[in-house]
Amino acid sequence: RRHGRASAFDAARLRPDPVVDRTMAKNALRVGKPVDLGADVPIFPPFALLFCFAASLAMWRMTGKRLRWLSWPVDSKWVRVAAFVGAVSVAVSVVDAAGKALRDAGSGINFVDVEGLATTFPFDATRNPMYACLLFVVTPALAVLIDSAWPLVFLPLLYAYISDIVIPAEENQLLAAFGKKYAEYAAATPRLSAMGLARTPPSR
């Protein structure tokens, strides 16, 4: 009897959960932290932003030209700080919502294994909500904070890296994992493009 009870317990413990129904795709992208030129994503995107900001400060120092671009009253220090804090708050809120959507789908924000496709807010507005915030909210906010156009000068470089290297790597991963399901989602949801957000097929 004792052996029978143990066997029944083991069988129950090993029985798969019938409620969980997620597509398993153990294929996390390799990402540089901060830099790995042989990785799928050579530079972790937030580090790419920091590199561009550091390059902006270096150019300001090397050329002696600040490239001020704000006028009164926006050029006031406290207005600039308040605008930066507000922009960062927006970015943090979007990242938090994106993280929740990814976790609910069975994935995560730090290039982990993909186990589900996130299509709820904010992924119902764009396929790349966190990158949109990094490019269109955080980078301009840094330019406002230091009242210098140098971060905007380097913005196209950062944009090209995100749009032409990072996003295609992610979309290839998702196409391999989810196939038609991801293709249909991509066809209905805009991604970052040269014109901002546009309805384009997934990168290949």
Side-chain angles (χ1 to χ4, degrees), residues 68 73-84 144-145 147:
R68 299 190 70 161
V74 183
D75 62 345
S76 166
K77 179 178 70 174
W78 296 113
V79 172
R80 289 187 281 118
V81 169
F84 178 75
V144 169
L145 179 65
D147 191 8

Side-chain angles (χ1 to χ4, degrees), residues 10 28-29 45-46 53 59 61 65 71 77 101-102 142 193 197:
D10 289 341
L29 294 175
F53 185 61
M59 288 300 295
R61 185 177 184 86
K65 297 180 179 180
S71 58
K77 179 178 70 174
L102 288 168
L142 288 170
S193 73
L197 294 177

Side-chain angles (χ1 to χ4, degrees), residues 25-46:
K26 297 291 187 180
N27 56 352
L29 294 175
R30 286 180 55 212
V31 58
K33 294 186 179 180
V35 179
D36 179 356
L37 297 182
D40 301 302
V41 179
I43 306 174
F44 190 49

Side-chain angles (χ1 to χ4, degrees), residues 2-21:
R2 292 173 62 184
H3 178 72
R5 285 197 298 269
S7 298
F9 174 77
D10 289 341
R13 182 165 56 89
L14 295 175
R15 188 180 301 123
D17 187 346
V19 177
V20 177
D21 182 19

Side-chain angles (χ1 to χ4, degrees), residues 49 69 78-96 129-146 152:
L49 170 63
W69 64 299
W78 296 113
V79 172
R80 289 187 281 118
V81 169
F84 178 75
V85 171
V88 169
S89 299
V90 170
V92 168
S93 297
V94 171
V95 170
D96 182 65
M130 291 181 286
Y131 298 145
C133 271
L134 185 145
L135 292 166
F136 302 140
V137 178
V138 177
T139 301
L142 288 170
V144 169
L145 179 65
I146 64 174
L152 302 180

